[in-house]
Amino acid sequence: MTDVSMRDLSHEERAKQERELREVWQTPSGWRYWTSVNNTEIGLWYGATAFIFMLFAGVLALLVRVQLAVPENGFLSAEVFNQAFTLHGTVMMFLFAVPVFEAVAIFLLPSMLGARELPFPRLAAFGFWSFALGGVFVCGSIFFGAAPNTGWFMYPPLATDKAYSGVGADIWLLGLSFIEVASIAAAVELIAGIMKCRAPGMRINMMPLFAWYLLIVAGMILFAFPPLIAGDILFEMERMFGWPFFDAERGGDPLLWQHLFWIFGHPEVYIVFLPAIAIMAMIVPTFAQRPIIGYSWIVLAAVGTGFLSFGLWVHHMFATGLPQISLAFFSAASEAVAIPTGVQIFVFIATLLAGRVIFSVPMLFGAGGLAIFVVGGLTGVMVALVPFDWQAHDTYFVVAHLHYVLIGGMLFPVTAGIYYYYPLINARRLSERLGKIAFWLMFAGFNVAFFPMHLAGLRGMPRRVFTYPADVGWEWFNLISTLGAFIFAAGVAVVVIDVVRPKHRQPPLEVNPWQAGTLEWISEPEETWGVRSIPIIKSRYPIWDQPGLLDDIKAGRYYLPDVQDGARETLVTSVLDARPEQCLRVGGTSIMTMVAAFSLGGVFIALTFHWWMLTLVCATLTFAAITAWLWTGTAQIPRSEVRDIGLGKSLPLYRSGPQSVGWWGMFITMAGDGTAYGSLMFGYFFYWTIHDDFTAGHAGPGMLWPLLAASLFLLAWLAMLLARRVNGSDRRWLMRAMLIFSAFLTAAGCGAGLAGPHLNAMDPTVHVYPAIVWVVAIWTAVHGALAIVMQAYCLARSLAGRMSARHDMDLQNVVLYWHFLVITAVTSFGVLGLFPAVR
Amino acid sequence: MRLIPKEIESLWTLFTAPTIWAVHFLVCYVLVAVYCEKAAAAGFTFAQMRLVLVLITLLALAGIALSAWLAWRQWGFGSGDPPHDAPTQEDRLLFQGFATLLLSGLSFVSVVFVAVPLFFIETCQP
């Protein structure tokens, strides 16, 4: 980045810019406040909602502890106990641990990267509303005695037994699928934001470590959540229509669910842990008053953990009778992941040793959390060993281990983050005194509650029992655990009181009260524009190393100090060196995201209770809302092609293809979609491995129809490539004709794909083979149908004059979708048609 | 055509070594899982499969070593020390080289870890 000369604005000019910026970025008032899509509001709502869910799940844990305090207790019935511990685990993992990191990321990232907004603010709002609605639905079920009751991992055949699990299992499956949609939305937003929206000059060697961690975590979400979504689909098909994916009598296998669940479930632990450690990576340098030692080592740790965490899932399945050599591979990988995990802790210790440490509440929570986490990590090394695990499996030892990992590795650092970042919310600090009281209550209470569980577990106390006899030597451990749990809860209550107590008598602090070095501290809580002007970054700790930065930003001396066309704008920069590439106009306040989220929620809720008509109505409404949202808010053709962003630089306002964030959004989404599809195909081959003849003598879809379908999809894809080509040379009628032609081919392909199983009278309820064939065919056909919608959308855009040879973002993105679709279709129908013949 | 590729301007090179680890891990897991289910129908023995997996492991280690060498070269063969935090393209490249080198090391060790059972376990279910 070459130095540029900065110009001082006149007082009037500055005032005018500030007035216009305020107006454009204004948060609506009244009930419309809730239609805001600004990252500070969404982040705050997201975080607050996640915390409310956490407190709710905490109360459930206390009920569980009261029940277990003494032997033969009758405080809760077995049924309520089952619902309470299932919901406790489910809510803590899905409604607190993951969403709270999304909340922190959405709140902090834009200002940390020096951006005004992340590229898809409306998507973030959509994700929030999906999460909030799904969460209320799942939590509320316990008040009707209808909560899931089979453990947070929902193992079949217990969870597929409708007589036992009732509607609770459906609530879990559909409610959480809905929330997983929100997580994937967040992943898209974060990856695109971190890669493309950093301030000019913020090369990848200068990115805040928080951003590095979040980038890895978002990538992990893309590969971890989709297998669970695929599993949910199979599970719900079994529960709703009797397709026997997990029913051993009809060729299914409950172990497939365990595989799919834990391929999600183990990376999930790191998805939860890494962002919390990311917060520590921001806090430690501030209080050590020096840059982090071993920046590259942290990157190693984040990336290494991200990869290795996908090779651990079977260590949750050591007791299922898999070949021991398979178990050994996973045991080895589980030990290997200790290396990058340890590296991070040593980096923090080194930084603290080299700096002059200021002790404060955030440091207290951080250090205490890491101490707890290390204990959990060490018991993790123990249970990663197969022989030990066989002894400890399904005992309270594992309960102790997982709470040490999650509370030490996640809850404590997040609480540290609350104390650290609270001044960004309303310019006031939380109480030092209350913070210390809260910390010691939580730290002591935690260890009193969970340490005895190791011992109870080693004495053989199994998990998930609602009571136990008096004479087996578990009484004292349980009573102590219960006491500890209440001390811990008292600590959490102190934090809650500290956060919600009125603070208007406290004088507001100056900006950056901790004297931190990173960019998130430039944001002014009372302004909604994010950054006044987008700075040029030359250091990892710009506030420490770039004198006058704060004043220059505030005086509007950097990029984009003004408003044009009343649009919300931020900069798009290149991935490696953060060179400015585009001035991006992002979506503003809109109710469409809320309508889309609520109607999609309606679809999932109506499905739970088999209200088919309502499902259809809600699905139509969702479709309409999303279409309206896309039509009015994306790929807008700007009034002028370029925009003067200040400092003598002009950037294009419209870019398409790989240069546009929309293309990245599509690519990232489809990577997740492809993973879900891969998981379904894994299921297909899984059934092949476990049976001598996986068709069990049932008719297959034949060769003719599947191969015809594959060919039609291939032709449709070629037609799309041609459409893009002729559009490039502005032959728009030919392009429109190609779109229509391709849509017909796609429809024919979908028909042919479904004709195979249909004409061969494959009945998905008799055996798992026809069921898995149907699922793969339907998955592909649904994607085909979606492709037709996109083709129609492009056609409509072209006819409405909203798409042209120069402005072809819609078409570019749809062609990208088609690249993924053609791989899906050729694989699906190739395998369905040919594999039974060649195996 | 050159034997060793030129320096590539990409973020993706960072992930080469861990990706090799992941592929190696999957190949080991899938081959063993399928063999142990289908041993009766398989045309080869456990010992032969083990040998194949050892060869694949050596291949993976060679791949990681190559990635490490490329990273070491990008890092200037250790000519400069971290932190590589200057706002220049050169420091960015050095940082990438160093981080890639570190990741290659971790991946190398992890591949060795995963390969250890191949030396100690001689059947599916001992």
Side-chain angles (χ1 to χ4, degrees):
Chain A
M1 204 66 39
T2 48
D3 274 323
V4 281
S5 58
M6 285 186 283
R7 183 174 72 91
D8 267 327
L9 301 164
S10 72
H11 186 70
E12 291 74 40
E13 252 179 312
R14 253 177 87 168
K16 176 171 171 283
Q17 288 183 347
E18 285 176 5
R19 196 177 57 245
E20 287 179 353
L21 273 172
R22 247 174 233 130
E23 199 177 317
V24 165
W25 290 93
Q26 190 185 38
T27 303
S29 55
W31 70 270
R32 285 184 180 277
Y33 170 72
W34 299 103
T35 61
S36 172
V37 299
N38 209 330
N39 75 293
T40 41
E41 271 94 37
I42 299 293
L44 205 56
W45 301 343
Y46 226 130
T49 314
F51 260 94
I52 292 169
F53 288 139
M54 188 272 276
L55 295 177
F56 172 74
V59 171
L60 292 176
L62 290 180
L63 295 178
V64 165
R65 274 322 317 166
V66 171
Q67 165 64 20
L68 292 174
V70 289
E72 315 278 6
N73 199 355
F75 176 69
L76 296 180
S77 68
E79 175 55 29
V80 175
F81 183 88
N82 289 347
Q83 294 190 14
F85 82 75
T86 300
L87 210 52
H88 165 74
T90 304
V91 171
M92 284 298 190
M93 291 305 268
F94 290 96
L95 303 184
F96 172 60
V98 175
V100 85
F101 111 75
E102 288 158 7
V104 174
I106 289 171
F107 186 85
L108 284 182
L109 262 184
S111 53
M112 195 179 274
L113 299 174
R116 285 247 164 78
E117 247 305 355
L118 293 173
F120 311 112
R122 289 182 177 177
L123 188 65
F126 172 76
F128 165 72
W129 289 110
S130 298
F131 154 70
L133 184 64
V136 168
F137 176 58
V138 172
C139 288
S141 61
I142 199 166
F143 299 109
F144 301 91
N149 57 358
T150 52
W152 84 284
F153 32 64
M154 298 292 288
Y155 278 180
L158 190 64
T160 41
D161 178 357
K162 282 191 189 173
Y164 171 71
S165 58
V167 76
D170 298 311
I171 289 174
W172 190 99
L173 289 162
L174 293 165
L176 295 185
S177 295
F178 184 37
I179 290 163
E180 284 147 24
V181 172
S183 292
I184 292 178
V188 171
E189 169 89 332
L190 296 181
I191 297 177
I194 294 170
M195 301 268 249
K196 299 296 290 178
C197 294
R198 305 196 305 270
M202 191 188 279
R203 297 162 200 269
I204 51 163
N205 61 325
M206 288 153 68
M207 239 160 63
L209 286 170
F210 185 84
W212 263 111
Y213 272 111
L214 269 280
L215 181 64
I216 301 304
V217 168
M220 289 169 72
I221 288 185
L222 281 189
F223 294 102
F225 276 71
L228 182 61
I229 294 179
D232 286 351
I233 291 172
L234 300 183
F235 210 126
E236 211 32 65
M237 294 306 275
E238 169 147 359
R239 287 186 54 97
M240 248 181 221
F241 307 115
W243 295 21
F245 295 108
F246 309 120
D247 177 5
E249 276 177 23
R250 289 178 287 166
D253 190 343
L255 268 194
L256 177 62
W257 169 258
Q258 294 198 20
H259 278 296
L260 292 176
F261 184 86
W262 290 116
I263 291 174
F264 148 77
H266 201 86
E268 157 93 346
V269 175
Y270 292 92
I271 289 172
V272 164
F273 167 66
L274 291 181
I277 284 299
I279 295 178
M280 288 307 299
M282 305 309 283
I283 293 178
V284 165
T286 298
F287 292 107
Q289 305 183 72
R290 58 153 297 134
I292 199 131
I293 289 181
Y295 179 95
S296 310
W297 289 87
I298 290 267
V299 174
L300 152 95
V303 178
T305 313
F307 272 84
L308 291 178
S309 67
F310 280 87
L312 313 183
W313 82 86
V314 166
H315 76 208
H316 297 267
M317 301 163 65
F318 278 168
T320 55
L322 293 176
Q324 284 185 30
I325 183 156
S326 301
L327 303 188
F329 290 145
F330 285 90
S331 183
S334 306
E335 302 296 355
V337 82
I339 303 172
T341 311
V343 164
Q344 307 168 77
I345 299 192
F346 286 118
V347 165
F348 293 154
I349 293 175
T351 306
L352 290 173
L353 283 177
R356 278 169 295 126
V357 181
I358 303 170
F359 279 102
S360 60
V361 175
M363 279 305 288
L364 212 50
F365 273 100
L370 288 182
I372 292 173
F373 176 78
V374 168
V375 176
L378 292 176
T379 51
V381 172
M382 292 163 77
V383 288
L385 298 168
V386 180
F388 183 86
D389 183 77
W390 283 345
Q391 300 303 313
H393 183 79
D394 250 347
T395 68
Y396 261 80
F397 189 86
V398 177
V399 178
H401 158 70
L402 77 91
H403 283 92
Y404 265 82
V405 170
L406 289 172
I407 293 183
M410 190 267 164
L411 187 66
F412 273 77
V414 165
T415 315
I418 295 175
Y419 274 85
Y420 183 62
Y421 281 121
Y422 195 81
L424 282 183
I425 298 173
N426 76 349
R428 281 155 183 92
R429 250 188 247 188
L430 292 175
S431 155
E432 189 83 12
R433 202 164 59 93
L434 287 178
K436 281 186 180 151
I437 296 172
F439 169 76
W440 286 111
L441 282 172
M442 283 171 73
F443 187 77
F446 171 81
N447 284 297
V448 173
F450 290 96
F451 195 81
M453 288 186 191
H454 291 114
L455 305 172
L458 290 177
R459 284 201 175 183
M461 180 167 169
R463 300 169 68 177
R464 299 185 283 275
V465 286
F466 85 107
T467 191
Y468 51 92
D471 52 358
V472 286
W474 303 336
E475 307 94 303
W476 279 106
F477 294 131
N478 277 290
L479 190 59
I480 295 169
S481 285
T482 302
L483 285 175
F486 277 88
I487 299 172
F488 180 71
V492 176
V494 173
V495 175
V496 172
I497 290 167
D498 201 3
V499 169
V500 298
R501 78 190 157 83
K503 293 175 200 66
H504 51 266
R505 285 200 195 144
Q506 266 172 264
L509 298 164
E510 76 280 27
V511 176
N512 194 9
W514 307 106
Q515 315 301 329
T518 37
L519 269 186
E520 70 273 27
W521 292 101
I522 56 174
S523 84
E524 305 149 84
E526 68 279 9
E527 300 289 3
T528 50
W529 56 50
V531 280
R532 171 68 180 83
S533 59
I534 297 180
I536 298 169
I537 296 306
K538 297 173 184 170
S539 159
R540 280 179 192 161
Y541 298 91
I543 301 184
W544 287 345
D545 298 339
Q546 290 182 239
L549 178 77
L550 227 56
D551 292 336
D552 290 341
I553 291 174
K554 277 195 186 169
R557 294 193 189 110
Y558 284 115
Y559 293 123
L560 280 183
D562 58 339
V563 174
Q564 209 178 64
D565 298 340
R568 294 186 174 193
E569 296 171 317
T570 192
L571 286 186
V572 172
T573 53
S574 64
V575 173
L576 291 173
D577 284 325
R579 292 203 177 86
E581 286 181 337
Q582 183 197 349
C583 172
L584 178 73
R585 299 203 156 153
V586 297
T589 305
S590 164
I591 195 164
M592 271 311 146
T593 53
M594 217 162 153
V595 174
F598 278 51
S599 48
L600 183 61
V603 173
F604 282 103
I605 293 170
L607 274 177
T608 310
F609 300 104
H610 303 189
W611 298 328
W612 307 119
M613 277 316 287
L614 187 64
T615 308
L616 202 66
V617 171
C618 288
T620 314
L621 200 60
T622 312
F623 177 74
I626 291 179
T627 312
W629 164 9
L630 291 177
W631 188 272
T632 56
T634 62
Q636 303 296 311
I637 298 177
R639 209 165 42 86
S640 58
E641 281 299 317
V642 288
R643 151 96 155 99
D644 175 10
I645 59 164
L647 301 179
K649 196 160 185 71
S650 288
L651 288 179
L653 281 165
Y654 189 105
R655 299 195 79 168
S656 64
Q659 276 85 37
S660 74
V661 286
W663 189 92
W664 280 75
M666 176 64 88
F667 187 91
I668 298 163
T669 311
M670 292 315 291
D673 184 82
T675 312
Y677 169 71
S679 308
L680 288 182
M681 294 311 287
F682 170 74
Y684 183 91
F685 289 106
F686 180 84
Y687 293 124
W688 164 69
T689 56
I690 60 165
H691 295 298
D692 287 334
D693 175 12
F694 81 124
T695 66
H698 293 279
M703 239 184 258
L704 171 70
W705 288 108
L707 293 186
L708 181 64
S711 318
L712 286 166
F713 271 100
L714 208 57
L715 286 175
W717 171 66
L718 289 172
M720 286 308 290
L721 293 184
L722 206 59
R724 186 178 63 178
R725 200 189 165 89
V726 295
N727 184 58
S729 51
D730 211 9
R731 283 176 285 177
R732 65 184 70 159
W733 282 106
L734 195 53
M735 180 267 290
R736 288 168 192 164
M738 289 320 291
L739 279 177
I740 296 171
F741 179 53
S742 178
F744 274 111
L745 287 171
T746 315
C750 293
L754 295 175
H758 180 69
L759 294 177
N760 286 292
M762 296 179 75
D763 181 352
T765 57
V766 277
H767 190 265
V768 77
Y769 173 63
I772 193 79
V773 168
W774 268 111
V775 158
V776 171
I778 291 174
W779 173 275
T780 313
V782 166
H783 281 70
L786 215 56
I788 297 174
V789 171
M790 292 186 194
Q791 287 158 336
Y793 181 82
C794 283
L795 190 64
R797 295 287 278 190
S798 170
L799 290 170
R802 285 166 179 265
M803 193 176 92
S804 65
R806 159 79 184 88
H807 302 106
D808 60 347
M809 196 198 280
D810 296 310
L811 187 59
Q812 293 275 3
N813 292 354
V814 170
V815 171
L816 176 62
Y817 175 85
W818 262 97
H819 294 333
F820 282 90
L821 178 54
V822 77
I823 296 170
T824 302
V826 169
T827 317
S828 291
F829 296 121
V831 167
L832 293 186
L834 297 176
F835 188 72
V838 299
R839 78 201 143 95
Chain B
M1 205 189 109
R2 45 190 304 153
L3 204 60
I4 306 284
K6 255 174 61 172
E7 280 175 23
I8 318 164
E9 281 283 289
S10 162
L11 182 64
W12 304 114
T13 50
L14 183 63
F15 304 116
T16 316
T19 305
I20 294 177
W21 170 83
V23 171
H24 170 259
F25 182 82
L26 259 187
V27 169
C28 287
Y29 165 62
V30 168
L31 202 59
V32 163
V34 172
Y35 175 85
C36 291
E37 287 287 352
K38 302 262 176 202
F44 49 90
T45 65
F46 191 89
Q48 285 166 330
M49 180 189 65
R50 221 156 48 125
L51 193 66
V52 170
L53 286 179
V54 169
L55 290 176
I56 290 174
T57 303
L58 291 176
L59 207 65
L61 291 177
I64 291 173
L66 177 65
S67 139
W69 191 84
L70 290 174
W72 193 32
R73 189 183 63 178
Q74 189 175 358
W75 190 39
F77 300 105
S79 55
D81 281 335
H84 308 309
D85 57 354
T88 58
Q89 188 180 9
E90 192 198 338
D91 251 33
R92 193 258 296 158
L93 280 167
L94 290 178
F95 157 75
Q96 275 181 289
F98 183 52
T100 311
L101 184 62
L102 291 180
L103 270 167
S104 305
L106 176 67
S107 307
F108 194 93
V109 174
S110 303
V111 166
V112 172
F113 266 45
V114 170
V116 167
L118 293 172
F119 292 91
F120 289 101
I121 299 183
E122 294 176 313
T123 66
C124 290
Q125 294 283 18

